[in-house]
Amino acid sequence: MTRDAATLGAELELPSVLLLWTAVLLRAPSGLRSAAQRGVLLAVVTAAASMTLDLPSVLHEAARHSEANVVAVARNALGVLSAGAVLSFVAQVTTEGRRFQTAIVLASGSMVTLLLVLDLAAEPHLKIGIPVSGAPSPSLVYWLLLMSTHLAANALCALMCLRYSAAPAHRSLTLSLRLFGLGTALAGVYWLAYLLRVTTDAHWPLPWLPLLMDLHGVLRALAILVPTYSVLRRVVSDIATAWRLWPMWHDLVIAVPHVALASPRHRIWDVVWPRMPYRVLAYRRIIETRDAILALMDHGLPPQAPPPRRRPRAEASRDIAALAAAVKSARDAKLQGLDPAPRTPGFISTGGTDFAGERAFLLRMVKAYQSAPAHVGAEPSSAAKD
């Protein structure tokens, strides 16, 4: 099982790095505009850069053109900056003051400088790293400082994410905090395992460490992609609403064109080349459909109307089918120029009590409308006969 974990960690190394960079590119435009998101974005960018420098292909290529220690120094420096960015994110969550932010910047810079000094002051060494066996290079103090920085930042960030994700908040924010906190916790376990290695010479955690770092990268990428997913889900929902309402909406606005903001066109063009944002398109389609139903109230709707109360689903379905048939009949009567029937109350209040309920109601009504037979029960007007 240990060998499988090591193999899986090696296989996920490149995909996790690519996912991190993809998430950074997708979130960079909005993240840079928002002060609250810059700390998170910087933490993910520096973590992605550090993990990139740890890829075998990058290490192999770098060794051909420079000393191996140059890559290791850059990787560890980026790791410290990532820890500082994580602490900056914690500072934004917990306080609005800038003193903590300034202290974090100074501490991160001081830690990077101290690590460089320790590297230069150590005895000559071929490679900065922690071997499977033997003493770490360049020194134990070097690695203890680096590990303590990561452990402190990751522990504090994970605790704050857990705390604030438990508070009532927006659903996507809660999910983002939990994913980011879990990814940060895995990074903390990664450094804790290395701490056990250098202090107790424990070797059993080492095969699991690449997999822990890969999962940390995946979870952090998913954490910053939650807003993108939420926006995409809303867009897809709005497109689906406009698409599904189109047949009934198109039929009704042909009969009462004054309710439509713009002239009807095929629904494919509404999706491929919308004249307004998809959210506005879905909103307008719902409002215009309801307005068209109200405009047709004088053209043949039956006198019975379902009362505005909660009814069993089967009864509600019959009411929707009856309303759909009545609306279709009224629409045909209007197009044929038949005399208006007396206005009958009741159907005006039929539907949802809020926007989401109205959308759900009309989407159910579309199915009944498409299968309802056209039935006109009024006599043609004299003008129509002539």
Side-chain angles (χ1 to χ4, degrees), residues 12-13 16-17 19-20 40 43-52 78-79 82-83 86 150 154 157 178-191 208-224:
L12 288 179
E13 202 169 19
S16 63
V17 172
L19 179 61
L20 269 174
V40 178
V44 176
V45 168
T46 48
S50 179
M51 291 175 64
T52 301
L78 286 169
S82 178
V86 166
H150 282 286
N154 291 333
C157 179
R178 289 178 179 175
L179 289 173
F180 194 86
L182 181 57
T184 303
L186 291 180
V189 174
Y190 173 90
W191 288 108
W208 294 88
L209 299 188
L211 181 59
L212 285 175
M213 186 53 62
D214 295 340
L215 293 177
H216 140 268
V218 170
L219 288 171
R220 282 195 173 179
L222 294 178
I224 66 173

Side-chain angles (χ1 to χ4, degrees), residues 122-133:
E123 296 181 359
H125 48 279
L126 296 176
K127 184 179 180 181
I128 296 177
I130 301 177
V132 176
S133 60

Side-chain angles (χ1 to χ4, degrees), residues 188 310 351 354 362 366:
R310 189 176 184 85
D354 54 16
L362 290 177
V366 167

Side-chain angles (χ1 to χ4, degrees), residues 167-351:
H170 197 274
R171 190 174 179 180
S172 62
L173 176 60
T174 298
L175 181 58
S176 292
L177 288 174
R178 289 178 179 175
L179 289 173
F180 194 86
L182 181 57
T184 303
L186 291 180
V189 174
Y190 173 90
W191 288 108
L192 182 60
Y194 265 129
L195 181 62
L196 291 175
R197 159 66 188 86
V198 300
T199 56
T200 66
D201 202 27
H203 295 86
W204 61 267
L206 297 183
W208 294 88
L209 299 188
L211 181 59
L212 285 175
M213 186 53 62
D214 295 340
L215 293 177
H216 140 268
V218 170
L219 288 171
R220 282 195 173 179
L222 294 178
I224 66 173
L225 284 175
V226 167
T228 302
Y229 167 75
S230 300
V231 171
L232 180 61
R233 185 178 63 177
R234 286 196 298 268
V235 169
V236 171
S237 176
D238 293 334
I239 291 175
T241 297
W243 180 274
R244 292 168 61 188
L245 284 178
W246 187 89
M248 183 171 69
W249 167 85
H250 183 265
D251 272 5
L252 299 185
V253 297
I254 291 298
V256 282
H258 65 275
V259 303
L261 182 65
S263 57
R265 59 178 184 166
H266 200 278
R267 55 181 169 178
I268 291 179
W269 290 113
D270 283 341
V271 174
V272 176
W273 198 339
R275 290 180 287 197
M276 60 193 76
Y278 291 118
R279 192 164 187 80
V280 178
L281 176 64
Y283 177 82
R284 289 298 313 172
R285 190 128 307 167
I286 291 171
I287 296 302
E288 290 171 2
T289 302
R290 171 55 68 181
D291 288 347
I293 293 174
L294 297 179
L296 292 170
M297 289 294 294
D298 289 336
H299 289 273
L301 292 180
Q304 294 82 15
R309 58 179 175 85
R310 189 176 184 85
R311 300 179 299 281
R313 185 175 182 84
E315 185 180 347
S317 297
R318 289 194 298 269
D319 291 340
I320 291 174
L323 177 60
V327 169
K328 197 168 197 177
S329 179
R331 181 252 185 193
D332 292 344
K334 176 71 165 57
L335 290 177
Q336 294 176 25
L338 302 183
D339 290 331
R343 177 178 289 271
T344 56
F347 279 120
I348 295 179
S349 60
T350 302

Side-chain angles (χ1 to χ4, degrees), residues 57-68 71:
S57 57
V58 175
L59 291 174
H60 176 74
E61 191 65 26
R64 295 174 52 190
H65 302 285
S66 63
E67 295 183 4
V71 177

Side-chain angles (χ1 to χ4, degrees), residues 101-122:
Q101 303 266 354
T102 304
I104 291 171
V105 173
L106 294 176
S108 299
S110 300
M111 183 58 66
V112 171
T113 303
L114 182 57
L115 291 176
L116 291 174
V117 170
L118 289 173
D119 179 32
L120 295 174

